[in-house]
Amino acid sequence: MKTPLLEVRSLTTQFFTEDGVVRAVEDVNFEIHPGEILSLVGESGCGKSVTGLSLLRLIPIPPGKIMSGELLFEGRDLLGLEEREMERVRGNDISMIFQEPMTSLNPVFTIGNQIMEALQLHQNLDKKEARRRAIEMLDRVKIPSPEVRIDSYPHQLSGGMRQRAMIAMALSCQPKLLIADEPTTALDVTIQAQVLRLLKEIQGEMGMAVMLITHDLGVVSEIADRVAVMYAGRIVESGPIEAIFGEMRHPYTRGLLESIPQLEEKKKRLNAIPGQVPNPMDLPTGCKFHPRCHLMIDDCKKEEPPLYPVNKNHFSRCIRWKECC
C-alpha cells in the first residue's frame, strides 16, 4: 500500500453564529493516495464543501473555526503551518475548483491574467513565459483558439468554457492534489460529461490525486476509485467504488443510489429519502440519520455508532449494517 498523500484525522469544523453553534464537520477521517480519485458524496448541507475548504484553511474566521484534527499532507500537518507557508501550498501543491466559476473568477481581469498570476506567484515565471504556459493550459483543457481566449473576460465565455478555464487555472502549477467542488453542477448533461472526461484524462496524464465533491452518484460512477458518503457532517460509509455501488452497507447510501433514475425502469417511481438533512445546530441524538431511516430501532437513538469495518477497506456507521442491503 502506498503512503497516503493526504491523511485527514478527526477533523472538526464549526461556525459560531448568533443563533448557535453550527457543527458543520464532526470527527471526519479519510485518506487520499497519490494518483487516486476519492469522491465525497452527500446531500447539500452535509459538510462536503466545508471539508474541502478546511483542507485549504479557507474557512472564514470568524464565524468559522477548525476546532481539532490533523491534516497531514506529505507528512506535514497543514494546521500547524504559518499563513505564509500555507500560501505556498494553496494553488501550488493543492488546488481547488470552486462550485460556480462565474463567482470564483474575477470579472475585471481576463482569463489569461488570472492563470498567469498563479504561475508568476508559485513558479517564478516572467510575464512572457507565464502567458505561454497559460495558452498551453487553455489548449490542454480543450478551449478553442486559446491564443485568443486568453484575453477574454469571464462574461465573454459560456458556462462550459468558464469551467474549463477554472480547471486550467487550478492545474496550471501541476498540483499534487486537486479538490473539485461540484465541478459540473451548473452545466447541462452533455457539457458535464465532457468536463468529467477532461478531468479524468488530465488526472491520468499528470498522475495527481483528486478529491471530487458531489451530490451526484452518477458522476461518481464515471470517475471515482473510492467513495466517502457524508451525512450531517460525518462520514457514514466509505469504501472502493465497487463496494459502495454493489454492496452498500448504510441505509443512507442505499437511499442515494435508489434515487437515481434508471433508463430501464422508466415507469417505476423513485424511492426518495423521506425528510431532510437535520439542522446542524440541532442534531438528533444517536445516529444522525435515524429520523429518516426505515431500519431505525430504539438503540439507534441512544448513541452515535462508530464506523464498523465491513471488510478491510469498507466501513459503515450503522449498527444494523449486516441487515442493511
Side-chain angles (χ1 to χ4, degrees):
M1 176 65 74
K2 296 178 182 177
T3 301
L5 177 68
L6 174 72
E7 292 180 82
V8 177
R9 298 177 181 172
S10 303
L11 174 65
T12 296
T13 301
Q14 298 179 351
F15 293 85
F16 297 85
T17 71
E18 293 180 357
D19 297 322
V21 179
V22 177
R23 293 151 63 191
V25 174
E26 288 282 328
D27 194 28
V28 163
N29 296 271
F30 62 85
E31 52 188 47
I32 304 176
H33 292 85
E36 176 183 53
I37 300 179
L38 170 73
S39 187
L40 214 55
V41 184
E43 295 168 276
S44 296
C46 284
K48 308 182 302 298
S49 294
V50 174
T51 300
L53 292 170
S54 296
L55 297 185
L56 283 172
R57 286 174 43 187
L58 291 176
I59 298 296
I61 304 173
K65 184 178 181 181
I66 298 175
M67 302 299 294
S68 62
E70 291 180 295
L71 305 175
L72 300 177
F73 182 74
E74 295 186 317
R76 286 194 306 170
D77 186 2
L78 299 180
L79 294 181
L81 299 183
E82 296 290 335
E83 180 58 27
R84 183 167 292 184
E85 294 178 284
M86 194 64 208
E87 287 174 357
R88 287 196 286 266
V89 172
R90 295 189 197 108
N92 193 37
D93 295 321
I94 306 176
S95 283
M96 188 166 184
I97 301 172
F98 296 94
Q99 282 192 34
E100 175 47 62
M102 198 58 196
T103 57
S104 302
L105 293 168
N106 193 321
V108 301
F109 290 104
T110 65
I111 295 299
N113 280 337
Q114 295 180 66
I115 299 174
M116 289 164 61
E117 181 182 20
L119 289 166
Q120 289 176 288
L121 177 65
H122 294 296
Q123 305 288 308
N124 296 318
L125 302 183
D126 60 34
K127 190 173 182 179
K128 183 177 179 181
E129 179 62 15
R131 182 179 175 87
R132 187 192 67 77
R133 284 277 297 276
I135 292 172
E136 187 179 283
M137 286 307 305
L138 290 175
D139 183 55
R140 196 168 187 180
V141 297
K142 297 180 171 59
I143 288 182
S145 305
E147 64 284 347
V148 175
R149 291 296 186 185
I150 191 171
D151 296 316
S152 297
Y153 289 88
H155 72 273
Q156 295 175 308
L157 303 180
S158 67
M161 289 296 107
R162 285 196 295 268
Q163 194 61 279
R164 288 168 188 265
M166 280 290 295
I167 294 171
M169 189 184 308
L171 300 181
S172 60
C173 294
Q174 298 186 319
K176 297 170 184 175
L177 173 63
L178 174 68
I179 301 170
D181 188 3
E182 303 274 11
T184 61
T185 295
L187 307 176
D188 62 54
V189 176
T190 305
I191 304 301
Q192 279 186 21
Q194 292 175 4
V195 170
L196 285 176
R197 281 198 300 270
L198 177 65
L199 268 177
K200 182 74 173 177
E201 179 184 319
I202 294 177
Q203 183 265 343
E205 289 175 5
M206 297 177 63
M208 65 181 174
V210 176
M211 187 174 89
L212 174 67
I213 298 171
T214 183
H215 63 274
D216 188 344
L217 278 167
V219 168
V220 172
S221 65
E222 295 276 337
I223 195 171
D225 299 309
R226 285 193 304 118
V227 181
V229 181
M230 287 193 76
Y231 184 78
R234 294 149 178 80
I235 291 178
V236 296
E237 185 167 12
S238 65
I241 187 76
E242 300 83 7
I244 298 299
F245 276 80
E247 302 174 33
M248 77 290 290
R249 285 293 179 265
H250 195 283
Y252 180 60
T253 308
R254 180 178 181 177
L256 290 176
L257 287 167
E258 289 183 346
S259 66
I260 301 174
Q262 303 293 328
L263 287 176
E264 63 272 16
E265 298 175 353
K266 288 185 288 186
K267 296 182 180 179
K268 185 179 177 181
R269 188 178 180 86
L270 292 177
N271 294 320
I273 303 172
Q276 59 187 9
V277 177
N279 185 336
M281 288 188 288
D282 186 24
L283 294 171
T285 59
C287 173
K288 308 310 175 204
F289 186 63
H290 84 253
R292 308 174 70 186
C293 184
H294 68 286
L295 293 177
M296 190 269 292
I297 57 177
D298 285 343
D299 285 347
C300 298
K301 302 177 184 178
K302 294 177 181 176
E303 58 184 56
E304 187 166 5
L307 279 167
Y308 294 100
V310 177
N311 59 44
K312 184 179 179 182
N313 300 310
H314 187 185
F315 300 87
S316 173
R317 196 183 293 274
C318 178
I319 61 174
R320 302 188 66 186
W321 65 267
K322 292 181 181 179
E323 310 157 54
C324 173
C325 307

